[in-house]
Amino acid sequence: MTFTLEGPVLDGTLVRLEPLDHRHAADLALAAEEDRSSYRFTWVPTASEVEGYIDVQLARAAAGKLAPYAQVEQASGRAIGATAYWDPRLWPTTGGLCAIEVGFTWLAASAQGTGVNTEAKYLLFRHAFENWGVARVDLKTDARNSRSRAAIAAVGAQFEGVLRNWSRSWVPGEDGRLRDSAIFSITMEEWPDCRTRLEQRMARGTERRRPGAGLPFPA
């Protein structure tokens, strides 16, 4: 049976990943306008662009290319960012899912460094490997984006190299230009160790988020 890309609700302690919908638009508009200084290399809509952003992502979902999510903060019930599964690759003989990318990720400035990113990646990776049985999960970012590259490495993905002129640049003033993309992955064989390290990291983060325990564990 040929695989159909549909992302289920994924529940964590800090974050709930819900299939993206226009009901998330008002929250996402507020989240995107908090502080945009970390978005230089990333496609993040402005408040006035959120409805169109959701339309684009839902169109990609309808074409079977994307499973977009709103990242919803468990404590408040507010959407604080977005992420997605996309670019599914199928086994040529069976039509089952071979590999998937996790991307289109952004978070409100106030949610960065709180553990939300770590937990969201954990939920996405776990579902891909343990429910879909993928051979690998890909992640990529603008090769110049050192902050994003560090965050991807921190969740256990292995750097594979840079693909030159690989995809669209989102940097202001670079419309119509291509960027070099840094490629990372986690393979099926690496997932058990990666899962253990992520679970340990999330547990340490819970301890450090208790009153008087200092700054949130980085995500």
Side-chain angles (χ1 to χ4, degrees), residues 7-210:
V9 172
L10 300 174
D11 258 309
T13 300
L14 300 176
V15 66
R16 174 182 171 90
L17 301 182
E18 299 179 358
L20 183 66
D21 187 84
H22 281 283
R23 71 180 183 276
H24 300 115
D27 285 346
L28 292 178
L30 292 174
E33 294 296 341
E34 284 187 9
D35 176 359
R36 297 182 63 85
S37 60
S38 65
Y39 299 154
R40 180 172 177 238
F41 298 100
T42 306
W43 181 36
V44 180
T46 62
S48 64
E49 295 169 339
V50 165
E51 293 284 358
Y53 168 88
I54 294 173
D55 284 338
V56 169
Q57 296 297 69
L58 293 182
R60 287 173 168 157
K65 299 178 181 178
L66 186 81
Y69 283 102
Q71 301 197 62
V72 177
E73 186 179 51
Q74 292 281 28
S76 67
R78 295 183 302 109
I80 54 173
T83 192
Y85 288 119
W86 85 292
D87 191 22
R89 278 98 70 207
L90 307 182
W91 293 106
T93 52
T94 66
L97 186 65
C98 171
I100 195 80
E101 182 168 335
V102 170
F104 292 102
T105 300
W106 63 272
L107 281 171
S110 60
Q112 296 174 22
T114 63
V116 166
N117 180 60
T118 298
E119 186 176 80
K121 291 295 192 297
Y122 170 79
L123 295 171
L124 291 164
F125 295 163
R126 186 178 67 182
H127 184 78
F129 284 112
E130 298 180 14
N131 292 84
W132 288 338
V134 300
R136 64 177 275 145
V137 170
D138 307 328
L139 304 97
K140 69 173 182 286
T141 188
D142 192 306
R144 299 166 292 183
N145 192 346
S146 57
R147 178 174 180 168
S148 179
R149 290 177 65 162
I152 292 171
V155 296
Q158 301 298 308
F159 175 59
E160 294 188 335
V162 173
L163 297 177
R164 298 176 297 165
N165 288 347
W166 181 250
S167 58
R168 173 181 176 175
S169 174
W170 297 105
V171 175
E174 294 187 358
D175 292 347
R177 292 179 56 184
L178 296 174
R179 74 180 194 191
D180 294 347
S181 292
I183 308 298
F184 295 78
S185 71
I186 301 169
T187 66
M188 177 176 55
E189 293 79 13
E190 294 165 344
W191 169 239
D193 182 58
C194 179
R195 173 175 178 159
T196 297
R197 287 186 283 114
L198 283 172
E199 289 174 347
Q200 291 172 344
R201 181 176 177 180
M202 290 187 293
R204 291 196 301 269
T206 300
E207 292 298 317
R208 295 187 64 178
R209 281 189 295 273
R210 290 178 179 173

